[in-house]
Amino acid sequence: MKKNKIIFWTATIIIALWEAVMPMSTWIFAPEYMTIGTKALGYPDYFAYALAIAKVLGVIAIGYPKTPEKLKEWAYSGLAFTLIFAFISHACVDKNIGYMIMPLAFLGILALSYHYKNKIQTIN
């Protein structure tokens, strides 16, 4: 039980740092870099801001223990879609293997968080 919670929270914190803290700190402390990644892939500037807000809301939903279960499911799905589409975008546009592997690695960590969330709920 304790091992499951440790794995869940470790994976969830890694996702929170990558998907919420990094984009928000870029937006606050270095806004000139906010759209570099999405612009290089051909997306309009406003997409970077919408994506950052959606990621922060998703991370809050999966990290807050009292979030309704249905909303958590949608948050995990939304975060998974952003990572899958990041992989596809990099595979189609810049074909940089490092940029392609990174979202898949974080998708694996997100899946680990989801798996252990369900394990913790089953035990309770």
Side-chain angles (χ1 to χ4, degrees):
M1 170 72 167
K2 189 173 183 175
K3 179 186 103 175
N4 293 346
K5 282 187 177 183
I6 290 170
I7 294 170
F8 166 75
W9 281 111
T10 301
T12 304
I13 288 168
I14 290 169
I15 292 298
L17 290 172
W18 181 257
E19 295 291 318
V21 174
M22 281 182 49
M24 291 313 294
S25 62
T26 301
W27 195 349
I28 293 166
F29 300 113
E32 65 273 14
Y33 297 114
M34 186 66 185
T35 61
I36 285 178
T38 53
K39 190 176 286 200
L41 295 171
Y43 295 109
D45 286 348
Y46 65 83
F47 183 72
Y49 296 99
L51 193 60
I53 292 167
K55 287 179 174 187
V56 169
L57 292 174
V59 165
I60 290 169
I62 68 170
Y64 183 63
K66 296 187 184 208
T67 301
E69 196 54 38
K70 188 82 82 179
L71 186 57
K72 274 189 195 234
E73 292 290 326
W74 278 97
Y76 273 107
S77 297
L79 290 169
F81 284 127
T82 65
L83 293 166
I84 291 166
F85 288 119
F87 166 77
I88 292 169
S89 294
H90 286 295
C92 292
V93 176
D94 59 21
K95 296 172 181 53
N96 182 320
I97 193 74
Y99 292 158
M100 291 164 49
I101 290 174
M102 181 103 46
L104 295 179
F106 282 98
L107 182 61
I109 296 168
L110 182 69
L112 194 66
S113 170
Y114 181 77
H115 175 73
Y116 278 90
K117 171 193 78 76
N118 289 337
K119 271 190 158 189
I120 292 167
Q121 286 179 338
T122 305
I123 292 170
N124 289 336

